Amino acid sequence: NYVTVYDTIHFNDSSCTNIINEGDTAICSGNSFSLSVNSGYPGNLSGFTYGGYYNGSYYYLSDSPYSWEDADSISNLLGGHMVTISDSAENSFVLSTIGTKYVWIGLYQNTSSSSYSEPAGGWEWVTGESPNYLNWNWNEPNNVANENHAQMYSSISLDPGYWNDANGNNYINGN
């Protein structure tokens, strides 16, 4: 679930707009996603809001919308990965950090998995772990529109903190 920036990263992509630069780290801006850090300095990351510390980890929330794939790539670029949620207490903590934003979480449906089947088979965390805790909303996952990525509903939704399978190409409006 966790991001620490240690290495020097050089980024030069003329097709990228709204580049965010922080020291030696550069990323394109674009869907909000929840991100956390498990070690190192919990300092400011340009383009992210510090969400707090929970169970040995520092959590950050992107300030801009991204597709699920872009959110995953940026998390990896920063040396970590998207948030994984191991129990209801952590789910509640993550919900408290996202406020009114809908966010991607690090859960996706691995279509190459031997347990893959629609709509509920093959789900795993970006860390490769099988999910021991799930918080799907009623009738989810349902794969209505090629939905292989998970999002968490915001605090202002009808079902705050519950999860929905969504198309990862969507840009969740995080603002």
Side-chain angles (χ1 to χ4, degrees):
N1 307 356
Y2 315 90
V3 171
T4 305
V5 180
Y6 290 117
D7 298 324
T8 300
I9 299 168
H10 299 283
F11 185 86
N12 185 9
D13 183 352
S14 59
S15 66
C16 179
T17 58
N18 300 321
I19 294 179
I20 300 167
N21 288 299
E22 181 70 25
D24 292 324
T25 302
I27 59 176
C28 295
S29 67
N31 198 345
S32 293
F33 59 97
S34 189
L35 184 64
S36 58
V37 178
N38 69 355
S39 64
Y41 174 68
N44 293 329
L45 291 175
S46 181
F48 293 86
T49 299
Y50 177 66
Y53 181 82
Y54 178 82
N55 201 23
S57 301
Y58 299 98
Y59 288 70
Y60 289 87
L61 179 66
S62 69
D63 296 334
S64 301
Y66 296 97
S67 69
W68 191 95
E69 294 290 335
D70 287 345
D72 187 45
S73 295
I74 291 167
S75 299
N76 291 319
L77 176 71
L78 293 172
H81 53 83
M82 292 167 56
V83 67
T84 62
I85 300 172
S86 58
D87 57 39
S88 62
E90 186 173 17
N91 195 77
S92 294
F93 173 79
V94 172
L95 177 61
S96 75
T97 68
I98 67 173
T100 61
K101 297 181 180 187
Y102 285 66
V103 296
W104 293 120
I105 59 176
L107 188 66
Y108 72 102
Q109 193 171 29
N110 182 350
T111 57
S112 299
S113 170
S114 61
S115 65
Y116 170 74
S117 66
E118 287 297 349
W123 288 93
E124 62 183 54
W125 293 110
V126 291
T127 56
E129 302 164 84
S130 295
N132 294 323
Y133 169 79
L134 293 168
N135 198 37
W136 293 115
N137 198 16
W138 180 83
N139 203 29
E140 299 291 349
N142 59 20
N143 196 41
V144 168
N146 192 29
E147 300 174 323
N148 296 326
H149 302 87
Q151 73 179 109
M152 179 185 281
Y153 290 133
S154 76
S155 62
I156 61 170
S157 73
L158 294 176
D159 300 302
Y162 283 96
W163 307 348
N164 172 52
D165 62 330
N167 185 309
N169 293 322
N170 294 335
Y171 280 65
I172 295 175
N173 183 0
N175 297 318

